[in-house]
Amino acid sequence: MNLSWKKILLWSLPILVIFVLIWQGFVISSSSEINQNLFTSRMTYGRFLEYLNMGWIKKVDFYDFGHTAIIEAIEPELDNKLQKIRVELPPTTPELIAKLKQCKIDFDAHPVQDTSLLWVWITDLVFPSLLIIAISFLLRTSNSAPGGPGQAMSFGKTKVSVQMEAKTGIEFDDVAGIEEAKEEFQEVVTFLKKPESFTAVGASIPKGVLLVGPPGTGKTLLAKAIAGEAGVPFFSISGSEFVEMFVGVGASRVRDLFKKAKIHAPCIVFIDEIDAVGRQRGTGIGGGNDEREQTLNQLLTQMDGFEGNTGIIIIAATNRVDILDSALLRPGRFDRQVTVDIPDFKGRLAILKVHARNKLLNVDVSLKSIARRTPGFSGADLANLLNESAILAARKRKDFITMIEIDQSIDRVIAGMEGVPLVDNKIKRLIAYHEVGHAIVGTLLKNHDPVQKVTLIPRGQARGLTWFIPSEDQTLISRAQILARIVSALGGRAAEEVVFGDTEVTTGAGNDLQQVTSMARQMVTRFGMSNIGPISLENPNSNPFLGRTMTSNLDYSDGIATNVDLQVEKIVSDCYYQATNIILKNRVIIDRLVDILIEKETVNGEEFRRIVTEYTRLPEKQLYISHC
Ligand code: ADP
Ligand code: MG
Ligand code: ZN
């Protein structure tokens, strides 16, 4: 419940009180004759009999089973004015009735004014109970507000953290690019819809499925789609929400979660970030965590506690399956693993199609070319990209999203915000040479991706940028391709040095050199692409509690370590030599390109290549671009 609701409640309380008070007053003053007559004068029974004998009584109304009477009598003392007087009677006397009859006095008996009494009762009851309900409601909501004062008092209750969606409204069609994962789950959906077909042949469906993959690849979305397709409720909680300050809270949350799930079965229970609770227990590094272990134990107990075919399917998501406790992965628990990875070209295209459904795209927008330019983008990145483009288009008051907005958004996602253009000076010239250095080397190398554009407009940390069109299938890269990348990454520094001399080179190449070194080292230690031979010198099972780099490189001798360093150095220096050569040979083209770049700030790939072909032949690119 949010704040505005609480405000409304707070304000409505006094109004409620006033309303009820008025209501009660109204009831008392109007609806009950007997109550109204509370305000009339009274007389004793003896005096009443006297009045009767004197013939001053005109009318008698009995109330309250004859215990009370309101009489109308002439008061001689008051100029014979007719007065209403109240008399309490002894237990009904038949003689009185006979006497009244005899004296021909009009009399009447009234039932207990139960309606009025009822009203009084109701108002007396309703008001305090309303008050109590309202107050307890208020207290409860303030308790459940995250971080609110009542937090410590309400621990153990999952009312806050377990979210239930009766209908997720998401279907398999909304999830794209992870077809294998969807196929895996098709069976789960069928089971949730028609469990009989499975149970009839004695098959039991897995209780737990683990979704493994980097953030933003659609794990949550997929889990919701399963619930949506099967038409069952979706319970979700994040692993980090299990682990609280107090020992035992997490465990009780797990119990609560399963209790609820059982009530709503068949259903999907989704535990996000399960690594937060499911880490390997008892490693001792950094001290144990009682709370986490208790929570994990409870989770295991609960998972063992229900039969496979109760219709509860637990889907957990993590991006670090390597650190999970092995007990979690045992049969009967999360014994099925489904990997969702960063999408490839086809996947990206499919995801873009899903998210382009509700966007107005101009005819010049090619989803294929977006997909080609965005290797490494997750589904969430792509969704975000299209949304950013839409926002940009709206800001420019365009009716359609054009390729311009999309290009801008891609650049922004990859390289950060656009900065102000540099003023013309020596620095700008140097940056221009640096970028053209990258671009010309990349263009003239057979195995390098083609230039998409070169720009001097700063973005993020970079003062200038050279974009290459990435070839598809970045997971399979040849040695020649990596070398070409290293050479072109060194092209920037090489150009600076050739043109300005080795005392004038700048820190601008720092990032390039980092990448170069990392690529060269991986060639040696991971991919067996050096003279050391096809050996992997990385320990893939590095301890999850220490950073990867702290434990890798430990498994081999000092001799090999020295050799690795030598090989890395050799690769880099060979490549630098190549880069310098290309710069030296093409100095005339470079000077021309730099002038154009400084004037235009941005030169696109086609133009760049056109200028280069005026001077030299372009190599025929040998790229592993997949068929698209
Ligand atoms: P994860 O749980 O893996 O971190 P999410 O499922 O939360 O990722 O994805 C975030 C958003 O990104 C989704 O709501 C969706 O808009 C988009 N998205 C991610 N993957 C896909 C996909 N495969 N198909 C369509 N949209 C996707
Ligand atoms: Mg998620
Ligand atoms: Zn550079």
Side-chain angles (χ1 to χ4, degrees), residues 174-176 178 214-221 351 355 379-380 383:
D174 301 320
V175 191
I178 39 177
T217 46
K219 297 183 293 296
T220 310
L221 191 70
I351 295 170
H355 289 279

Side-chain angles (χ1 to χ4, degrees), residues 45-86:
Y45 184 55
R47 217 168 138 74
F48 165 65
L49 292 180
E50 260 175 47
Y51 267 54
L52 195 59
N53 287 332
M54 302 296 281
W56 288 343
I57 306 278
K58 294 291 166 216
K59 183 167 185 257
V60 178
D61 285 294
F62 291 103
Y63 289 100
D64 200 8
F65 303 111
H67 289 304
T68 316
I70 305 288
I71 55 168
E72 277 177 30
I74 299 165
E75 287 269 17
E77 290 109 3
L78 291 169
D79 298 334
N80 289 346
K81 230 179 114 189
L82 209 62
Q83 283 277 303
K84 277 193 173 182
I85 304 164
R86 184 185 170 107

Side-chain angles (χ1 to χ4, degrees), residues 364-490:
D364 73 328
V365 173
S366 146
L367 294 182
K368 268 189 185 172
S369 79
I370 305 176
R372 206 170 295 133
R373 278 199 64 196
T374 48
F377 274 46
S378 68
D381 291 335
L382 292 169
N384 186 32
L385 171 71
L386 286 188
N387 193 44
E388 287 272 321
S389 314
I391 291 172
L392 269 179
R395 211 179 281 155
K396 295 184 196 163
R397 306 201 180 286
K398 291 191 177 179
D399 295 333
F400 297 96
I401 304 167
T402 69
M403 210 58 201
I404 299 172
E405 286 81 46
I406 287 176
D407 276 334
Q408 274 184 5
S409 308
I410 296 177
D411 291 358
R412 188 159 148 193
V413 172
I414 297 178
M417 296 281 281
E418 193 175 289
V420 253
L422 300 162
V423 284
D424 265 331
N425 59 15
K426 194 188 158 195
I427 300 272
K428 186 166 184 176
R429 249 196 134 64
L430 185 134
I431 294 169
Y433 270 102
H434 179 108
E435 295 308 328
V436 171
H438 284 307
I440 191 91
V441 172
T443 304
L444 295 178
L445 285 174
K446 196 166 80 177
N447 291 295
H448 201 283
D449 299 333
V451 171
Q452 195 229 340
K453 70 177 173 199
V454 189
T455 175
L456 289 183
I457 297 170
R459 228 175 233 291
Q461 302 288 317
R463 312 258 243 134
L465 283 162
T466 304
W467 299 84
F468 294 99
I469 302 169
S471 58
E472 195 30 53
D473 206 354
Q474 301 264 319
T475 50
L476 212 58
I477 308 169
S478 70
R479 179 165 185 262
Q481 276 179 297
I482 303 185
L483 285 173
R485 279 184 202 177
I486 296 178
V487 177
S488 96
L490 289 167

